[in-house]
């Protein structure tokens, strides 16, 4: 017995699930990179009062963390792509 909609519908459902999982991984990577960057900022600066938000250096550090974490999870990302 075949599912309603046939194999094409099943393929679309699997593709949608893979996209959702990939989006979840990307969010996890960005949140973890942000936490790592904030931790590094706190260690580098004694006082955070009267400071602006993120500096360009902080943004570069964040992007480095994102790149590193993406590289670590490349196998999982490639499997879903």
């Amino acid at each position: 017995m075949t599912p309603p909609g046939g194999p094409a519908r099943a393929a679309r459902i699997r593709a949608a699930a893979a996209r959702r999982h990939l989006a979840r991984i990307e969010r996890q990577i960005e949140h973890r990179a942000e936490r790592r960057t904030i931790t590094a900022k706190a260690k580098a600066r004694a006082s955070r009062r009267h400071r602006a938000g993120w500096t360009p250096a902080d943004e570069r550090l964040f992007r480095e963390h994102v790149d590193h974490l993406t590289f670590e999870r490349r196998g999982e990302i490639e499997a879903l792509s």
Side-chain angles (χ1 to χ4, degrees), residues 45-51:
R45 298 181 185 138
S47 174
R48 293 179 47 136
R49 291 185 184 183
H50 309 293
R51 301 245 181 194

Side-chain angles (χ1 to χ4, degrees), residues 29 65-77:
I29 287 172
H65 287 306
V66 168
D67 292 341
H68 179 74
L69 292 168
T70 302
F71 181 76
E72 286 179 355
R73 296 185 75 173
R74 71 188 177 279
E76 190 176 357
I77 292 169

